[in-house]
Amino acid sequence: MTNGRPRVLVLGGGFAGVGAAQNLKHAKADVVLVDRHDYHTFQPLLYQLATGLLETTAVGHSLRDLLEHHDNTSVHQASVTSVDLAAREVRFDELDPLTYDYLVFGLGAEVNFFGTEGAAEHAFPMYTLPHALHLKDHLIERWEAADRDASLIEDGALNIVIVGGGPTGVETAGALAELYRHDFSKDFPSVTADQARLILVEAGPELFAMFKPKLREYAAKALTDRTVEVNTGALVESVSPRRVTLKSGEELKAHTLVWGAGLQGNELVQSLGIELERGNRIAVGPDLTLPDHPEVYVLGDVAAITDAKVKQVLPQLGSVALQSGEHAGEAIAHRIAGKEAKPFEYKDKGTMATIGRGAAVVQMIRGRTLTGRKAQVAWGTVHLALLPTNEDRAKAVVDWAGTAFTHQRAGRITVPADERETG
Ligand SMILES: Cc1cc2nc3c(=O)[nH]c(=O)nc-3n(C[C@H](O)[C@H](O)[C@H](O)COP(=O)(O)OP(=O)(O)OC[C@H]3O[C@@H](n4cnc5c(N)ncnc54)[C@H](O)[C@@H]3O)c2cc1C
C-alpha cells in the first residue's frame, strides 16, 4: 500500500501491459508501469519499418504519451531483473525494488534460435524496434556496397534467406520482395532479379500451418508470383556473415538471414520457480491469475491462456495480449472497488496475414475465409484498431496511402549509428 492505496505494478508496456494500465485509469490505486524501453512497440508492423514502408514513430509510441492523462499512473524505464512472488517484490537494474499489491506480468516473448549455430551472432530477428531498424540499415548498406563493388553481388551480398513459414516469415518475405522488385530495382537498375534472390526456408511441408490448405496454397503462389523462392521441408543448420548452410548440406550465398521462426517466453519466467508450459509460457487460470497467487496476473505472449470455449491454448497474438491486458486491468479495478471479477472471455477476430499489395489471407472462427483485396482490407481494419492512438492510425494510413499511389518507400534511408554522435 502507498498512501493507503494499493499499488498495481505493471511489468511490460506491450499490448498486455498497456491494455491493463488503460483500464486502471479510474481505479483507486497507484499504478506503476515499468518497461526496459520508453516506448510501446507495435510488433505486427515491424516488417513495414524494416522495409521502409512506415516511419519509426508509426511503430514505436511513447509510453508516457499513451498514459499521460492517467493521474494515478507513473512510468519508469528500467529492466526487470527478478520477481520474488513470496515477498511480493520486483527488482530492477537501475531502479530501487518495488513491492506490489497486484502484479501484472506482461513481459512478452523473445526470439528462439533453437540452438542454430551462428544464428544468435549473425541472424536478423524481427521482434523489436531495434531489430527492424538494424535490418533496414544492413540491407541499404549491402546494396550501396554492391553498387560500389559489383563483385559483392556474385558473393550473395543482395540475397536474403528468410527463415520461417509462419506469419512473421511470410509477411517479411512479401514486403522484402516489394522493396526489392519495386524500389531497389529502380534505385539500382543494373541489378537483375536473379542477382538479388529472396529464399524462404520452412522446416515443415507447407507454409502457414495454422491456415486452411487453400489459404496455404494461395500464400505460396502469392510469394512465388513476387519472385520469392519457397523452400519447404528444409532446415537451416548454420549461419555465418556471408553463408547459410542447410541441413541437406546445400550452402546458400547470402549476407542476410532474417529469422522469423520461433519464440519463447521471456527468460525471466525461469526465475519465478513455477512449472512452465511449452515455449516457456506460464499457465494461468480462467481469471488470468497464477495458481496460488490471485494477486498476480500473467498476460499476453508469456501466458498460456486456455480458451474456455474451445479448450485450446490461445495463440501469441496482439489481440490476445490486448484483450487479456484489458481484462486484467478491469478485474483489478473491480477487486479494489470490492466487486467480483469475471473470468476472461476471448473474442476471436480471425487469424490473418498480409503477403503484399492486394494479397492477404483471413480465416474466421466459423471457417469462413477471405483472400486478396478483401482480406487486405480486413487485415488493415483489424490492425488499425490495434494501434494505440488515433495519431498512430493516421500516420499508418498516410504512409500506406502514399506508397499505394507512388510505390515509393520514403523510409529507405539510413543514418549510421556511428555518425549520430559526431553529426
Ligand atoms: C514480427 C511480428 C509480427 C506480428 N504480427 C502480428 C499480427 O499480424 N497480428 C497479431 O495479432 N499479432 C502479431 N504478432 C504478435 C503480437 O505482436 C504479440 O502477440 C504481442 O506483441 C504480445 O504482446 P505482449 O504485451 O504480451 O508482449 P510485447 O508486445 O512483447 O511486450 C512486452 C514488453 O515487455 C518489455 N520487456 C521485456 N523484458 C523486459 C524486462 N526484463 N524488463 C523490462 N521490460 C521488459 C518489452 O520492452 C516490451 O515492451 C506479431 C509479432 C511479431 C514479432
Side-chain angles (χ1 to χ4, degrees):
M1 292 264 181
T2 48
N3 311 321
R5 286 151 61 106
R7 176 185 283 152
V8 185
L9 182 53
V10 180
L11 304 181
F15 286 101
V18 167
Q22 277 173 337
N23 274 2
L24 284 160
K25 183 175 181 182
H26 302 294
K28 291 198 171 22
D30 283 330
V31 180
V32 182
L33 184 143
V34 186
D35 195 291
R36 61 156 66 114
H37 300 121
D38 61 356
Y39 54 82
H40 163 81
T41 304
F42 194 86
Q43 287 175 347
L45 296 179
L46 280 174
Y47 73 90
Q48 299 201 1
L49 176 63
T51 54
L53 186 57
L54 288 177
E55 313 269 341
T56 310
T57 51
V59 182
H61 196 109
S62 157
L63 284 167
R64 292 176 199 283
D65 253 6
L66 284 179
L67 300 169
E68 73 167 321
H69 299 300
H70 291 227
D71 296 336
N72 63 352
T73 304
S74 54
V75 175
H76 300 292
Q77 184 183 0
S79 278
V80 179
T81 53
S82 66
V83 178
D84 185 337
L85 292 175
R88 296 193 181 189
E89 186 180 83
V90 177
R91 292 176 204 112
F92 306 91
D93 58 349
E94 288 176 337
L95 178 71
D96 285 340
L98 286 170
T99 54
Y100 58 82
D101 298 285
Y102 293 93
L103 182 71
V104 172
F105 192 96
L107 292 177
E110 56 196 23
V111 67
N112 186 355
F113 292 116
F114 302 108
T116 306
E117 190 190 324
E121 299 81 12
H122 308 300
F124 289 80
M126 186 58 69
Y127 204 66
T128 65
L129 212 136
H131 287 157
L133 290 173
H134 185 41
L135 175 61
K136 184 175 85 163
D137 288 352
H138 169 78
L139 292 179
I140 296 172
E141 186 279 326
R142 286 292 77 193
W143 277 80
E144 294 293 358
D147 178 57
R148 293 186 299 268
D149 174 3
S151 71
L152 286 172
I153 300 177
E154 181 55 30
D155 190 54
L158 308 180
N159 295 343
I160 306 180
V161 173
I162 304 115
V163 184
T168 300
V170 170
E171 290 190 333
T172 306
L176 286 169
E178 291 187 349
L179 175 71
Y180 264 42
R181 307 306 175 214
H182 290 292
D183 298 273
F184 285 163
S185 65
K186 261 191 275 150
D187 294 344
F188 305 94
S190 60
V191 176
T192 55
D194 61 337
Q195 292 177 312
R197 294 170 64 198
L198 297 164
I199 307 154
L200 179 69
V201 175
E202 158 60 36
E206 278 183 281
L207 305 179
F208 274 171
M210 69 292 283
F211 287 108
K212 291 186 167 195
K214 68 175 182 184
L215 298 188
R216 296 181 203 161
E217 280 160 31
Y218 174 90
K221 180 170 183 316
L223 282 179
T224 313
D225 288 349
R226 286 164 175 74
T227 72
V228 176
E229 301 167 40
V230 177
N231 194 352
T232 50
L235 265 175
V236 171
E237 184 160 85
S238 66
V239 191
S240 68
R242 296 184 170 211
R243 296 290 179 267
V244 174
T245 308
L246 303 182
K247 213 155 201 121
S248 63
E250 187 184 354
E251 189 184 70
L252 300 166
K253 288 181 180 177
H255 293 198
T256 313
L257 177 132
V258 178
W259 191 271
L263 292 178
Q264 58 190 350
N266 191 301
E267 62 173 358
L268 271 172
V269 299
Q270 304 278 4
S271 67
L272 294 177
I274 52 177
E275 208 177 306
L276 300 173
E277 298 288 306
R278 209 168 133 239
N280 267 357
R281 289 161 87 183
I282 300 174
V284 289
D287 60 353
L288 307 183
T289 64
L290 269 187
D292 303 329
H293 287 279
E295 74 286 4
V296 179
Y297 287 78
V298 182
L299 313 168
D301 273 6
V302 75
I305 304 171
T306 301
D307 188 319
K309 275 186 241 135
V310 288
K311 307 273 180 272
Q312 270 175 9
V313 174
L314 291 169
Q316 287 160 301
L317 283 177
S319 45
V320 175
L322 184 64
Q323 288 182 38
S324 64
E326 288 170 346
H327 174 87
E330 192 181 292
I332 295 170
H334 272 87
R335 287 173 63 183
I336 289 171
K339 296 186 206 154
E340 210 179 307
K342 292 187 197 135
F344 174 61
E345 240 180 75
Y346 178 59
K347 290 174 199 70
D348 191 345
K349 303 225 164 69
T351 311
M352 51 194 74
T354 180
I355 302 139
R357 184 189 291 251
V361 295
V362 174
Q363 185 169 298
M364 312 295 274
I365 197 165
R366 287 194 182 82
R368 202 175 150 221
T369 58
L370 296 174
T371 52
R373 287 195 189 283
K374 275 190 194 156
Q376 197 164 40
V377 170
W379 179 92
T381 311
V382 166
H383 285 79
L384 283 177
L386 275 177
L387 277 165
T389 65
N390 284 334
E391 193 192 340
D392 290 327
R393 289 179 197 112
K395 267 187 223 148
V397 169
V398 167
D399 285 351
W400 289 341
T403 307
F405 282 121
T406 63
H407 281 251
Q408 290 274 333
R409 287 167 188 251
R412 67 181 194 294
I413 59 163
T414 179
V415 183
D418 57 349
E419 284 179 23
R420 287 178 211 168
E421 283 164 25
T422 55

